[in-house]
Amino acid sequence: MSFAADVKTELCRAPLSRKCCAQAEAYGVLLYCNTFHGGGVRIVTENEAFAQRLPALFKKAFKLAFDHLPEGEGKQIFEIDDPDKIMAIYRAFGCDPRALALHLNFAVVEEACCRCSFLRGAFLAGGSVTDPRKGYHLELATSHHSVSREVLALMRELDQEAKSAQRKGNSVLYFKQSEKIEDFLTCVGAPLAAMEVMNAKLERDLRGKVNRRVNCDAANLDKAVEAAMAQVEAIRRLEGAGTLITLPDKLREVAALRLTHPEDTLAQLAQRCDPPITKSALNHRLRKLVELGRADL
């Protein structure tokens, strides 16, 4: 299964213990499902866990059953077209089926638990989330533009700062930061999925640090090799010009060591001196040799 499917499966494990929360969750489902208006309800899903939860959710929330249940495999379609059932749903949310546009009734989601339940239903019906190993993106999409604006306000009251956009006739609320996705998933009842997002971010950060360290080490190694080659070239130039033999003993010792051990680091070469010297002192002598070698050009 995809990560989004795993998240929805985890959300469907939440118990339907309180009627107020069941109604709030069903409210989120209806406002973010395929069809919800005075003429009927149509919910389409491919998630098996959500499909199994829907009949129990609507029974708990409204004491009613769907008029049409899924048949066969693939997309699962749930429908209600009985006018009395539709009116009962509208009354539960204080809505007018004759209204031109749906709005979020904040009285239904007054309690914190009901707000989280509402967002859970919205995600189950109209939400998606990217696998955190590939990127960070979670969104809620609905065709009801007024609802989307009002849900954005609701989310802000829960410190869920989402961004909004319009896409193919839908209003979309979305997160692109891993921390905000973690907070949202925890809020709606998917702490395991939130932990997976956190772990994926830690792995990505660690991998980035390792790559940066490797790149830095490789760059430093390249610089060290280039410096050693320049030193060897300068020493051989001094040697060819007969200048090397006239230099002080300390410089001749370092020159001989560099020619004998061209692959050594400064620290290794410094320890080979007799007596051993500091890396700074060795670097100073090598720079002097390079300067002298350039002067002989």
Side-chain angles (χ1 to χ4, degrees), residues 3 7 10 129 132 136-138 159-160 175-203 205:
F3 179 71
V7 172
E10 182 183 356
V129 60
Y136 305 123
H137 184 88
L138 184 149
D159 293 326
Q160 302 284 334
F175 301 104
K176 281 191 171 294
Q177 292 79 28
S178 61
E179 295 84 359
K180 292 182 179 181
I181 293 174
E182 292 165 21
D183 291 343
F184 179 86
L185 292 175
T186 301
C187 171
V188 298
L192 296 180
M195 184 64 69
E196 192 167 340
V197 174
M198 187 182 302
N199 289 337
K201 182 178 186 300
L202 291 173
E203 289 176 8
D205 290 346

Side-chain angles (χ1 to χ4, degrees), residues 45-266:
T45 182
E46 294 182 355
N47 187 274
E48 185 63 30
F50 183 36
Q52 293 177 2
R53 183 178 181 84
L54 274 171
L57 175 65
F58 273 59
K59 184 176 181 180
K60 179 74 174 181
F62 313 114
K63 295 183 179 180
L64 58 80
F66 287 95
D67 296 326
H68 304 284
L69 294 172
E71 296 180 1
E73 300 179 352
K75 289 185 177 180
Q76 307 289 296
I77 301 175
F78 297 81
E79 294 180 305
I80 297 175
D81 50 27
D82 184 320
D84 292 335
K85 292 181 181 180
I86 295 171
M87 185 58 66
I89 292 173
Y90 270 85
R91 280 199 301 267
F93 300 131
C95 302
D96 183 354
R98 297 167 298 179
L100 295 177
L102 287 173
H103 289 275
L104 173 63
N105 183 351
F106 283 87
V108 179
V109 291
E110 190 172 357
E111 300 295 330
C113 59
C114 294
R115 294 179 182 183
C116 293
S117 297
F118 172 84
L119 293 176
R120 177 167 59 247
F123 182 82
L124 286 170
S128 64
V129 60
T130 302
D131 187 331
R133 292 169 295 184
K134 299 177 181 178
Y136 305 123
H137 184 88
L138 184 149
E139 70 177 41
L140 301 174
T142 179
S143 59
H144 308 296
H145 304 303
S146 297
V147 168
S148 189
R149 289 194 299 270
E150 291 154 359
V151 171
L152 179 60
L154 174 70
M155 294 172 78
R156 284 173 176 165
E157 292 182 10
L158 292 169
D159 293 326
Q160 302 284 334
E161 285 292 336
K163 294 184 178 180
S164 60
Q166 300 294 318
R167 185 196 307 137
K168 297 180 180 179
N170 287 330
S171 290
V172 180
L173 301 178
Y174 67 93
F175 301 104
K176 281 191 171 294
Q177 292 79 28
S178 61
E179 295 84 359
K180 292 182 179 181
I181 293 174
E182 292 165 21
D183 291 343
F184 179 86
L185 292 175
T186 301
C187 171
V188 298
L192 296 180
M195 184 64 69
E196 192 167 340
V197 174
M198 187 182 302
N199 289 337
K201 182 178 186 300
L202 291 173
E203 289 176 8
R204 179 178 291 189
D205 290 346
L206 180 59
R207 193 178 300 114
K209 289 179 181 178
V210 170
N211 288 339
R212 286 192 294 273
R213 179 63 182 271
V214 169
N215 292 337
C216 181
D217 289 346
N220 289 338
L221 180 60
D222 289 343
K223 291 180 181 178
V225 170
E226 290 176 5
M229 291 175 62
Q231 293 158 8
V232 169
E233 183 180 351
I235 292 167
R236 293 200 181 284
R237 193 179 298 117
L238 291 171
E239 190 176 43
T243 307
L244 185 61
I245 196 171
T246 66
L247 297 179
D249 292 344
K250 293 180 179 179
L251 291 181
R252 283 191 286 112
E253 178 191 26
V254 169
L257 287 171
R258 175 49 87 194
L259 291 176
T260 308
H261 307 283
E263 75 289 348
D264 275 9
T265 64
L266 292 181

